[in-house]
Amino acid sequence: MTGADVLLLAVGAVAVGAGVLVVTTKHLVRAGLYLVVCLGALAGDFLVLSAELVAWVQVLIYVGAVVVLLLFAVMLTRAPIGASDDLDRPGWPAALIGGGAGLGLTVLLVDAYRWGTVALPRAGTAERLGEQIFQSWVLPFEVLSVLLLSALVGAIVLSRPDIGRPGPGADPAAERPGVDVETGGRR
Amino acid sequence: MRPVIPYVTAALLFGLGVYGVLRRRNAVLVLMSVELMLNAVNLILVTADTTARAVLPHSGQVFALFVIVLAAAEIGVGLAIVLQLYRLRATVAVDDVALTEPAHPVDRREPAVLDREAGR
């Protein structure tokens, strides 16, 4: 057991423990905060595995942006402060499938790698990863930028109530009694 | 460095994510569990970068970056859908969502819009 192993064990235990709390806690807001702990521990894992850039991007995007978005959603859906009892459904199937997937993967990976050691590669600094992305992976990078744009447009269209409604001919308000046809069209 | 430690961490996190997706009723918590699964995959990719000697160096880390971008896009669209669901049905419980269309058509516009039309 080297120092790296001890560190990996420690941050791994923190990540799994926080993950357990994310899926079992009764408090909506606390689930988001435990998610911060879990993702931060994973960023530590990445650092120990010498993936510097991925670790900092994880902190920036996951801990900084995604969790804040999730907490916004919790607040916007008027989540109760305090414990709520209706968050779970009775879940033996969930425990069975989730436990089966987790333990199955564990057995598979332990069987594949046993207790062997590998040498850590050179650190994945921004310079080296940038060289790889802009030499070998340019096309996926560009496709991802298009995908981000379409996700942005899709999110805007989804959340604007006045876009994407049926036109005057197909408006269900036209068939409702009490609403005259002229005002039942597009607003 | 023993790669089995982060691999087992990732496997357990993925199992937890699957459990959370199937167990939780609140759509925001389902999205959080999906994030757990995506992060387990990221950890596997970064660890595989240290164990596998590929032709291109650092491919696993590049793919982990791509997965992070995909997760950001997913969470944006997912939250837009969840908020629209809350606006229409005033609930975010995933098992309250009807999977089939109602027999008689329901006007799904916002209550404010309907009030404005009824007042005219």
Side-chain angles (χ1 to χ4, degrees):
Chain A
M1 293 279 279
T2 60
D5 290 338
V6 176
L7 275 176
L8 281 177
L9 266 181
V11 289
V14 171
V16 172
V20 168
L21 287 171
V22 169
V23 295
T24 56
T25 181
K26 294 256 174 243
H27 296 66
L28 262 171
V29 181
R30 282 188 201 171
L33 298 179
Y34 287 132
L35 193 65
V36 171
V37 176
C38 182
L39 300 179
L42 278 177
D45 240 339
F46 294 158
L47 269 186
V48 178
L49 290 171
S50 78
E52 288 176 20
L53 182 68
V54 182
W56 298 129
V57 169
Q58 165 102 354
V59 171
L60 263 180
I61 296 194
Y62 264 114
V63 183
V66 168
V67 173
V68 171
L69 266 182
L70 282 169
L71 287 177
F72 262 129
V74 167
M75 305 294 175
L76 283 175
T77 51
R78 304 217 188 102
I81 304 297
S84 33
D85 294 327
D86 60 340
L87 292 180
D88 292 341
R89 59 179 137 228
W92 281 112
L96 210 67
I97 297 175
L103 293 181
L105 279 172
T106 305
V107 169
L108 195 75
L109 290 167
V110 167
D111 182 54
Y113 287 94
R114 301 289 169 173
W115 196 239
T117 58
V118 295
L120 278 173
R122 293 192 307 169
T125 56
E127 188 185 355
R128 287 177 193 142
L129 278 190
E131 271 177 16
Q132 281 304 308
I133 288 177
F134 291 109
Q135 282 175 3
S136 313
W137 302 100
V138 177
L139 188 62
F141 181 80
E142 294 296 333
V143 171
L144 269 183
S145 71
V146 175
L147 177 117
L148 270 183
L149 179 68
S150 56
L152 177 74
V153 174
I156 292 175
V157 169
L158 268 175
S159 48
R160 285 271 307 266
D162 53 342
I163 303 181
R165 294 290 162 190
D171 200 317
E175 278 107 66
R176 285 190 313 157
V179 178
D180 66 352
V181 179
E182 283 170 37
T183 57
R186 187 173 291 279
R187 290 164 298 281
Chain B
M1 197 273 298
R2 298 186 192 279
V4 73
I5 301 171
Y7 273 134
V8 168
T9 307
L12 293 177
L13 273 180
F14 190 85
L16 282 173
V18 172
Y19 171 78
V21 166
L22 294 174
R23 180 76 198 266
R24 294 300 210 177
R25 287 180 77 225
N26 190 307
V28 181
L29 287 175
V30 171
L31 281 177
M32 288 187 194
S33 305
V34 171
E35 294 305 312
L36 279 186
M37 286 203 278
L38 284 168
N39 268 280
V41 172
N42 268 346
L43 185 53
I44 289 211
L45 283 172
V46 172
T47 314
D49 198 56
T50 67
T51 59
R53 291 285 173 264
V55 179
L56 299 171
H58 298 309
S59 303
Q61 296 181 20
V62 173
F63 265 78
L65 284 179
F66 287 169
V67 171
I68 289 177
V69 173
L70 283 175
E74 170 253 326
I75 207 74
V77 178
L79 286 182
I81 293 175
V82 167
L83 290 181
Q84 194 69 10
L85 176 71
Y86 181 76
R87 192 185 291 166
L88 290 175
R89 303 281 172 87
T91 177
V92 284
V94 286
D95 48 3
D96 286 353
V97 181
L99 291 180
T100 55
E101 287 288 311
H104 49 88
V106 182
D107 200 333
R108 292 187 177 169
R109 286 171 301 173
E110 284 177 87
V113 177
L114 293 179
D115 289 346
R116 208 188 314 141
E117 279 193 359
R120 257 197 300 239

